Amino acid sequence: MSIRVSHVHGEHIAVEAADGTEILRYVYRPDPHAFESRKPYAHPVRTLAGHTVTGYRPNDHRWHKGLQMTASHLSGQNFWGGNCYVHGQGYLPLPERIGSMRHDGFPAFTVADDRLAFTEELTWVENGGAEWAREERGLAVHSVDEEAGAWALDWSIRLTNLRDEPLSFGSPTTAGREMAGYTGLQWRGPRDFTGATVLAPGTDADSDPGALMGSQSPWLAVTTEHDEVDGHSTLVFAHAPENLDEKSAVHESHWFVRSEPFPTVSFSWAFFEEFELPPGESFAYRYRVVVADGAWDSDRVGTHLQGLPW
């Protein structure tokens, strides 16, 4: 199925399906609110039927914006946005700790009839203005399948430490708060994903979403019935094989997942333990998000992923 790509330079990139439905908008001109950690994000993200499956600046967490790369605890700085967790004191508004990600350019940008792929260069800047890390980010929209009612977004990161000392990656859990290991690539769902069904390999619709918090698996899926319209949507979050390979992964990944009181999923790279990135060195991860119409079960998710080789 063909796609159409438009680019408002300095603002955003949009992808439309053949019928004109905008399925992805990648905004690389950050919102102006420094406390929300200025950085690019993808919103709105929609299914082929036009159902919106990302939330933006919800009233409970204004810094949650669709799908975005984050780092909640990074050497004392917060590239997630919002209040900072401090052990023994809880969440505190500490604007002096909020970092940002600066868009530097698109060294590669390729559009084909059925695929968009681009590379973005970014710099992670701590609150005082020091450049801490250089990121090479890759996004690709592909496998737009009208019959399956689904399309795929691949998102990769390669991050290099620019400092003369290690970068230390953690999470609220590594700072002392139990089962709050959020960091890394994060999705925030709209309100009608509240209470959504959460699936992983070997689970079913009756499984307890809370049991998957902090777990490990090749993929995780969230499915819900929408308000206002008659229809369901399913999102599948999948790791590239090397992310879960103990020999090649920089650090173990775990799922941070909630459907109550609000819907969110993070590919957490530092859920239970901190890890360090030495000066001049890099780490890399690759992720996939499948955006689908309908209420998919585990078998359908697994079959679809098998048909999308990395």
Side-chain angles (χ1 to χ4, degrees), residues 4-296:
R4 179 180 177 182
V5 177
S6 61
H7 185 183
V8 178
H9 290 272
E11 298 278 347
H12 68 263
I13 298 162
V15 181
E16 294 181 358
D19 65 355
T21 300
E22 185 182 282
I23 57 175
L24 173 72
R25 178 168 293 202
Y26 181 75
V27 181
Y28 62 91
R29 181 181 182 181
D31 291 339
H33 308 286
F35 188 67
E36 297 171 10
S37 183
R38 291 188 290 254
K39 56 188 176 292
Y41 58 88
H43 174 81
V45 177
R46 296 187 180 94
T47 70
L48 294 179
H51 299 150
T52 300
V53 294
T54 49
Y56 173 75
R57 297 194 74 241
N59 58 27
D60 51 81
H61 295 78
R62 294 297 187 191
W63 46 96
H64 288 186
K65 298 174 183 179
L67 186 66
Q68 57 181 349
M69 184 60 68
T70 73
S72 57
H73 287 237
L74 176 55
S75 296
Q77 289 279 293
N78 173 357
F79 290 81
W80 174 279
N83 295 332
C84 302
Y85 180 78
V86 179
H87 187 54
Q89 300 181 63
Y91 287 98
L92 302 175
L94 301 173
E96 68 277 8
R97 294 192 184 183
I98 307 296
S100 62
M101 299 179 192
R102 185 186 71 220
H103 166 81
D104 293 331
F106 293 112
F109 200 103
T110 304
V111 180
D113 181 60
D114 59 354
R115 182 182 180 90
L116 162 69
F118 64 82
T119 301
E120 181 183 17
E121 292 179 338
L122 304 102
T123 301
W124 292 33
V125 183
E126 61 89 33
N127 188 266
E131 298 181 353
W132 274 16
R134 178 176 297 113
E135 179 187 348
E136 181 179 277
R137 178 176 300 182
L139 266 72
V141 174
H142 62 96
S143 304
V144 182
D145 187 335
E146 186 175 15
E147 182 177 352
W151 63 276
L153 172 66
D154 290 356
W155 188 310
S156 66
I157 177 176
R158 181 174 182 83
L159 195 71
T160 302
N161 182 1
L162 299 178
R163 304 177 76 194
D164 58 4
E165 57 185 282
L167 284 171
S168 180
F169 292 81
S171 67
T173 293
T174 67
R177 187 183 177 217
E178 293 186 1
M179 304 308 283
Y182 53 82
T183 194
L185 184 62
Q186 181 232 1
W187 164 79
R188 172 62 193 251
R191 293 290 173 188
D192 43 5
F193 271 82
T194 304
T197 297
V198 182
L199 303 170
T203 65
D204 56 36
D206 295 326
S207 300
D208 176 14
L212 297 174
M213 177 68 86
S215 67
Q216 294 176 296
S217 62
W219 60 262
L220 190 82
V222 181
T223 183
T224 197
E225 183 174 10
H226 288 285
D227 295 331
E228 298 186 20
V229 297
D230 296 325
H232 294 73
S233 292
T234 299
L235 276 85
V236 183
F237 306 92
H239 282 282
E242 69 270 16
N243 291 4
L244 302 177
D245 185 337
E246 294 182 1
K247 296 181 179 180
S248 62
V250 62
H251 196 258
E252 287 189 346
S253 293
H254 298 78
W255 296 112
F256 178 85
V257 54
R258 285 178 176 162
S259 63
E260 298 278 3
F262 54 83
T264 187
V265 173
S266 298
F267 294 84
S268 178
W269 53 37
F271 196 115
F272 296 108
E273 296 177 345
E274 292 186 353
F275 71 92
E276 289 190 342
L277 182 65
E281 294 196 11
S282 306
F283 71 74
Y285 288 100
R286 292 191 299 154
Y287 307 106
R288 176 166 291 163
V289 181
V290 175
V291 181
D293 288 300
W296 289 19

